[in-house]
Each structure stands twice: as C-alpha cells, then as structure tokens.
Amino acid sequence: MNDRYDTGDAGYGAAPYELVGYDEHGQPVYRQIPAQQAPQHEQPYDPYGRQGYGYDPYATGAGQQQTPAYDPYDTGQQPAAAPGYDPYGAGNPYDPYGTGTHPTATPYDPYGRTAPDGGQQPRGTEQTAYIPQQAGPADRARHPGEHEDDHAGPEGPAGPTGPGAPGDGDRDYRTEQFAFVEDPDGDSEDVIDWLKFTENRTERREEARRRARARIVALVVVLALVAVGGVGWLWYAGKLPGLSSSGSGTGAGSTPVSAQKRDVIVVHLHNTGKGGTSTALLVDNTTTKQGTTVLLPNSLAVSGDDGTATTLAKSVDDDGASGTRDQLDTVLGTDIQGSWRLDTPYLQNLVDLVGNIDLDTNADVPDPSAKKKGTAPLVHRGKAQTLSGKMAVAYATYRAPGEAQNAQLERFGQVMQGVLRKLSSDPSAATTTVQTLAQILDPPLTDKDLGTFLARLADLAKGGDYRTALLPVQPDGTLTARTSDSVVKDILGGTAKSPDAGSAVRVSVQNATGVKDDTEKARVVLLNGGFTFLEGGTASGTQTASKVLYADAADKANASEVAKTLGLPASAVAKGGVSSGADVSVVLGGDYKPSAS
C-alpha cells in the first residue's frame, strides 16, 4: 500500500507521491513524501516485466522493480511529476488513514505536461493516463528480498543505477511493454461466447416466428381456396341462395329454365272408399338437382278430346291416365314421361313397406272405419307424428267440412314427400319395393323406370333438396301470368296455355235427382248442344225442382239456352251463385226427364 512514484523535479511537484489507499469510489489516494525520504535512484516501472515482475495489481509492493520513465517522444527526458490527485476537486485530497498529511493542491495533468506560462494546457491526442507503480523504502523494509531488482539495469541486477546511469533517459521502449485499457481482459472470451449464445437464441426465436407466420399464411390460403372451391361448386350446382335459375352463363345455376332437363311423372291418387281423385306431378330437375311435387287442383281447366274445355277431375274420370297426360302437356307445356295410378290400398301398402312415415299433421283425422261417433281420432294433430299405412291414407284423403279441395291436396303432398324420405335411394332396392306392391302400371311406365325415378327423388328428399308447390288457378280454372312465372315456367319449364274461355259456355251440373245416371245423360246432351260440361258432383239430398243459375247478366241468354237444351222450364232460370270456373250452374231436380230431352 506504500507504493511510491517519482514524478521528477519538473512538472507537478518537487517530491514523489505515495499511494496510501483507495477511497469509497475505488479511486487511488496519494500523499506527498518529504524530499529527504524520496529515493534517489529509482527507475520507472517496467509493466512487462523486462527486469522482473514489477507490476503489483493489488498495490502490495511485492515483486516490483524500477523501470525508466516512459518518454513517448524518445527525448531522453523524464516526464514531469504527477500532481496530487484530488477525487472531490476540493483542493484537499482525501486522507483515509488519518495521517494528517495533506499534499499541496495541484491541478491534475493527465498528459504529464505543464501548461506553458501558466496558461491553459494544450490537448493533444487523448490517451489513458499511466502512473508507474514503484516500491518505496518502507515496502522494501517490510518485505526484504522482494525488491532486489528494483534498481536493475539493462544488464541485470548489478547494472549501474541512478539518474545518470546509461539507458536511464534514452532507453528504448516498445509498444508491447505497456498495457492499455482497450486490451481485452481474461473475461473477453466468455463475453464473446455469451453474445454468440444470445445472438443464436434470438435468431432461433425469429426463425420460429417466421415459420409460424408462414404456416398461418399457408393455412389462410388453403382455407380461402377451399371456400372459393365450395362456392364455385354451389354455383355450378345452382344451389347458391338468391341465385336465379333463369340467368345466363354456363353453370347449372345459370342455365336457362328452358334448357334444363327434367323428368316428370304424373301420379293420380284414387280414393276407392269415398271416390274422387287427387293429382300431382313429381318433378326431378337433373340440371339443378332439385325435386318438387306440384299439386294440381281438380278445378284446373284442360282441353277435352273434342277440343272443348273440361276440368282435371273430369278428365281423369272420363279420359283416363293417357288422355289426361296429353291434356296436361298441352295446358302446362310440359313433357310428362309416364302416369302412375296409385289407388289408396297401394298407398297404404307403400307406407307400410318403407316403415311408416313422420309428418307434422295439421288436423285431427277421424277413423273412417269407426261406427260410433266420439271415437278418438285416428290421426292426431301435432309435430312429428308417426303414421302407419292406414293413418297415412286417412290423412291424405281427409277433407274437413267446408274446406276447399286444396287443403286435402296439400295433405296428399305431405304424405308423398314423407314416403320419399323413407324410401331407399338405391335404384335396385326402390325397384324391389315397387315390385312388391304388385300393382299394374300404365304403359309405357315400368317397375324399373318407376323405381329408379323414385330413388332419385328419395335422395333429393333426404338431402333437403325437395319441396312441394301448389299450382294456383283462377276460379274459372285457368292460369294467370303469376302462375306461369312461379310454377309453370320456373319449376316445369313450360308455358301455360289455358283453353279459350270464350270458345264455349261452361256449364256445371250437380245431380240432385237421386238417380246417378242422370248426370251422364245431361253431360251428353250439353256436349251435343255445343256447351262445355263441368262436373259439379252429387248433392247430399234430392230436390223436386231444377235450377239454372247465372251470375252475370250477360250470361242470362246462355242460361235460358241451357234450360231449353235440358228440357227444363224457363221458370228454372234465375240469377244466383255459380260454381267455380263455370258460366252457368245447373242443379238437376226431380222434374228433370232425360227421356224428354
């Protein structure tokens, strides 16, 4: 701790300084040694140990040697003595050991040069201040033998010493003899290794982020391609919501309705118990992959075999399946491939074969076979009702008192769609089901054709691509422009061609005579007279007097002509309500005499 530094007689003082310790900031603290105690022949510190290991990093004074003072310009002169260091700049150096000795406050000159004429010290290239550490007499006294080489000359310990010794002022120094603060210490390799590790870990994290971003981008691209492909497929299949089938283009959804391919079969349900028929068209649009049941009201006006207008119900009874199919093609502009006559016993067997059906029923249906009133209904109104074959037939043919025929027709459509949902989608299995019914089909329809056709509709019904539509008609049985657009054109791809209403007077005949054959006799007489016959059914009771009614005053003359043709008195003609689709309504009473006509 008593290292001393001889700064020379020029520069910052006339006596050397001795390191006495370090302050609380780790800075060295020196004290000035009296002139009489300063060694006379100390050589400056040799930092690279050319005369031995003179550097003591811990200031213990051990192993230090004298080295000549460093002369950066090789002038042969020693640098000026370093002034006392005042760490607080107060002119009163800190004395940590309480010696009471305070060196004279001298400004610190880091370059070892005295400002000329007391002026400002010129600054050259800034270097790290270096003060050689030298061992003093006190250190040598406390540690004998450790400083034997302090005064060693160039030739060794026995070389000449002193201020005038050779080599004291003009000794050759090389750069490698000095250690600068910029030189790396022993921990530099560890620091470099740590920096490399940190850099590698950062690069790995960045690479992981880049890979994650690349995967996310790839996933988004794949999802976008899947979405575009799905939308494209829906567009091609014509299943995009809001996409009109009447547009232009090359996809299925944009194919004009007139160019779309359809398979159509007409089915007539014959009620063998109560009489009457119900007619529907089963449509398979193979272009748009859409199935539809089109319900046809019995009041639909069609052209008869003789070219006169008649109703659909009358055409089914009189002209049969083949004649009715041709008439429907003419009225609706369709191409019906076959007719399927489905009597109620076969419908019951069909429902039992597919394993019952589930429907949302809209009415309580009584049991037709019940003999007592107040019996529990056969079919209950409610959601998801399971119907057997007998229950399905009762529901499909049920018409409540006062209900229009369309209400019963819609129930028939529900039953048909329920059967298709339960029927097999395999053509072979569906054909087997049709063959099991053992019904006789009207040519040219065969069991295989019907089974294959129903299997395709069953597949559409199970996939939700099936619907039921009612063909709306006017009271006179003709079609409107709205009907042509919504059903005939869009679903059937045809053009409505209703019979000319002005071609003949339409007469509706209701039989109230109690004799069933009177209706047929009246029909023949009216057709021979040039009138169009419309079936009005049979009245619930008998009447004694016949009636000939007209609603419009313009039809009064036609009503009088009808009465004359039927052999009825002129008093039977009166103004009143007429049947739907008719110009004149006739109620045959007991006074009707067919033989007299």
Side-chain angles (χ1 to χ4, degrees):
M1 297 298 294
N2 293 326
D3 296 339
R4 286 172 292 183
Y5 299 89
D6 187 0
T7 59
D9 295 332
Y12 295 93
Y17 289 86
E18 180 181 17
L19 178 68
V20 296
Y22 296 85
D23 61 9
E24 63 271 17
H25 300 288
Q27 301 294 336
V29 178
Y30 305 92
R31 71 181 181 88
Q32 190 174 12
I33 301 176
Q36 63 274 14
Q37 297 181 8
Q40 299 298 322
H41 301 287
E42 289 185 352
Q43 293 184 354
Y45 168 62
D46 182 7
Y48 292 94
R50 298 178 61 183
Q51 306 300 332
Y53 294 93
Y55 174 58
D56 185 4
Y58 299 98
T60 59
Q64 294 184 351
Q65 300 179 0
Q66 288 183 345
T67 59
Y70 172 66
D71 184 5
Y73 300 99
D74 197 17
T75 58
Q77 299 179 0
Q78 294 184 356
Y85 176 67
D86 183 6
Y88 298 97
N92 186 15
Y94 177 70
D95 183 10
Y97 296 96
T99 59
T101 303
H102 301 285
T104 303
T106 305
Y108 172 63
D109 182 6
Y111 300 102
R113 293 178 294 177
T114 305
D117 301 330
Q120 185 177 359
Q121 175 79 25
R123 289 182 71 90
T125 303
E126 187 172 7
Q127 298 180 358
T128 303
Y130 173 74
I131 300 178
Q133 297 180 355
Q134 300 176 354
D139 294 334
R140 287 191 291 270
R142 287 193 299 269
H143 305 283
E146 293 183 359
H147 302 278
E148 296 177 357
D149 298 335
D150 283 353
H151 301 279
E155 292 81 7
T161 61
D168 185 49
D170 55 353
R171 191 171 183 175
D172 185 15
Y173 289 92
R174 292 186 299 275
T175 304
E176 59 270 16
Q177 292 180 263
F178 300 91
F180 297 91
V181 295
E182 290 83 359
D183 292 342
D185 55 13
D187 297 333
S188 60
E189 293 296 332
D190 295 338
V191 173
I192 293 174
D193 292 341
W194 171 254
L195 292 177
K196 289 181 179 179
F197 168 74
T198 305
E199 182 179 1
N200 292 337
R201 184 172 62 177
T202 303
E203 291 179 354
R204 288 195 297 269
R205 289 178 177 175
E206 291 297 331
E207 182 64 22
R209 293 191 186 99
R210 285 194 294 269
R211 288 196 299 266
R213 286 194 296 267
R215 285 193 292 266
I216 293 175
V217 171
L219 179 61
V220 171
V221 171
V222 171
L223 293 178
L225 291 177
V226 171
V228 171
V231 173
W233 181 87
L234 291 175
W235 171 81
Y236 181 80
K239 297 181 180 181
L240 279 179
L243 182 62
S244 175
S245 61
S246 60
S248 60
T250 58
S254 60
T255 303
V257 292
S258 60
Q260 295 174 7
K261 188 179 183 303
R262 301 171 179 84
D263 294 330
V264 183
I265 288 181
V266 58
V267 54
H268 302 290
L269 176 65
H270 288 257
N271 188 348
T272 58
K274 295 183 178 180
T277 60
S278 301
T279 303
L281 297 177
L282 303 180
V283 183
D284 176 21
N285 192 322
T286 58
T287 303
T288 62
K289 308 298 182 182
Q290 177 70 44
T292 309
T293 297
V294 179
L295 306 175
L296 305 180
N298 284 337
S299 61
L300 175 64
V302 296
S303 298
D305 291 339
D306 56 358
T308 60
T310 185
T311 62
L312 175 61
K314 186 64 176 177
S315 176
V316 173
D317 291 338
D318 297 342
D319 303 328
S322 178
T324 303
R325 182 175 68 246
D326 295 337
Q327 294 170 13
L328 290 174
D329 284 341
T330 301
V331 172
L332 302 176
T334 59
D335 182 14
I336 301 175
Q337 286 80 34
S339 299
W340 180 22
R341 174 170 176 154
L342 183 64
D343 294 346
T344 49
Y346 292 109
L347 175 60
Q348 179 175 338
N349 294 337
L350 180 60
V351 174
D352 292 336
L353 285 174
V354 299
N356 299 336
I357 59 176
D358 297 324
L359 300 179
D360 294 338
T361 57
N362 56 18
D364 291 331
V365 180
D367 188 353
S369 61
K371 298 181 179 179
K372 295 182 180 180
K373 294 183 179 180
T375 306
L378 179 63
V379 178
H380 293 275
R381 178 179 180 177
K383 298 284 187 180
Q385 297 293 313
T386 301
L387 305 183
S388 63
K390 180 181 178 180
M391 298 168 66
V393 169
Y395 184 77
T397 59
Y398 177 69
R399 180 178 177 182
E403 276 189 338
Q405 193 261 338
N406 290 345
Q408 175 268 321
L409 193 62
E410 290 176 350
R411 296 188 183 103
F412 170 52
Q414 284 184 277
V415 171
M416 290 302 301
Q417 187 167 348
V419 170
L420 292 174
R421 282 197 297 263
K422 295 298 292 290
L423 189 68
S424 175
S425 300
D426 180 62
S428 299
T431 300
T432 302
T433 302
V434 172
Q435 292 173 345
T436 306
L437 292 177
Q439 63 177 340
I440 299 175
L441 301 176
D442 295 333
L445 191 63
T446 64
D447 293 341
K448 183 178 181 181
D449 294 338
L450 181 59
T452 303
F453 177 78
L454 294 178
R456 294 200 306 266
L457 293 182
D459 186 61
L460 296 175
K462 293 174 183 177
D465 298 320
Y466 200 93
R467 57 175 175 165
T468 300
L470 175 66
L471 177 68
V473 298
Q474 298 186 89
D476 60 356
T478 58
L479 304 176
T480 64
R482 182 179 62 85
T483 301
S484 300
D485 291 339
S486 62
V487 177
V488 177
K489 181 180 178 181
D490 294 341
I491 298 177
L492 301 176
T495 302
K497 297 179 181 179
S498 294
D500 187 4
S503 59
V505 177
R506 290 165 295 180
V507 181
S508 172
V509 178
Q510 185 180 36
N511 189 354
T513 64
V515 181
K516 185 177 181 181
D517 292 340
D518 287 348
T519 302
E520 180 61 22
K521 294 177 180 180
R523 187 183 73 85
V524 174
V525 171
L526 289 174
L527 290 177
N528 292 335
F531 298 98
T532 299
F533 177 83
L534 300 177
E535 176 66 48
T538 303
S540 58
T542 61
Q543 295 183 9
T544 57
S546 300
K547 294 179 181 180
V548 180
L549 306 175
Y550 63 92
D552 193 349
D555 292 326
K556 182 178 181 179
N558 294 330
S560 300
E561 189 65 26
V562 169
K564 185 184 297 186
T565 302
L566 293 174
L568 299 176
S571 60
V573 179
K575 186 175 183 179
V578 299
S579 300
S580 174
D583 299 320
V584 178
S585 292
V586 177
V587 179
L588 299 177
D591 58 349
Y592 174 64
K593 303 300 180 181
S595 60
S597 56

